[in-house]
Amino acid sequence: MHNLTPNDSSHELQQILNQRQAVMILFGAPSCGVCQGIKPRLTTMLNDHFPKMKFIYIDCITQPDIAANHNVFALPVVELYFQGQAFGRFSKVFSMVDVKEAITRPYSMLD
């Protein structure tokens, strides 16, 4: 898991998105119980089923500019990127099954 620090910017995030074939971003906050609850579940899912996918956690309290640039105004939000392109977005109410199903097909086409 990669946490962006308060000193990181949208530019650093974009570099990661362009360099990696598959990226999942979780936008959350320390005060968001759901965000903190799904973070380890997402990490486990990626480790077990999608090890090539990079996981990034963005704390919307310390990184409000990045959250605003991604139109994140309610938490949690999960975004999926393949080959630098936005592929899927899950907001507020979703299941781990939904996220896993969204990743499976494009992930299977990676090198």
Side-chain angles (χ1 to χ4, degrees):
M1 179 173 58
H2 183 93
N3 291 320
L4 290 185
T5 68
N7 295 327
D8 289 331
S9 67
S10 291
H11 177 71
E12 281 88 7
L13 177 58
Q14 192 59 49
Q15 284 183 318
I16 294 169
L17 295 176
N18 291 336
Q19 292 169 355
R20 300 296 299 250
Q21 290 186 30
V23 178
M24 174 189 285
I25 303 173
L26 170 61
F27 292 90
S31 60
C32 174
V34 174
C35 303
Q36 299 308 312
I38 66 170
K39 189 188 321 183
R41 293 177 65 198
L42 291 170
T43 301
T44 299
M45 178 177 58
L46 294 183
N47 289 340
D48 292 350
H49 302 285
F50 310 107
K52 295 178 191 173
M53 183 167 251
K54 180 154 185 79
F55 182 65
I56 298 173
Y57 175 74
I58 296 179
D59 181 339
C60 295
I61 303 301
T62 60
Q63 294 288 19
D65 294 343
I66 294 175
N69 287 341
H70 285 256
N71 296 314
V72 174
F73 302 108
L75 298 175
V77 171
V78 172
E79 291 185 345
L80 306 174
Y81 289 82
F82 287 93
Q83 307 293 343
Q85 301 297 314
F87 186 81
R89 180 180 171 105
F90 299 88
S91 181
K92 296 195 287 185
V93 180
F94 55 89
S95 74
M96 293 294 120
V97 172
D98 294 337
V99 175
K100 185 177 179 184
E101 287 176 356
I103 296 170
T104 299
R105 180 173 159 81
Y107 187 87
S108 69
M109 293 187 244
L110 296 178
D111 300 335

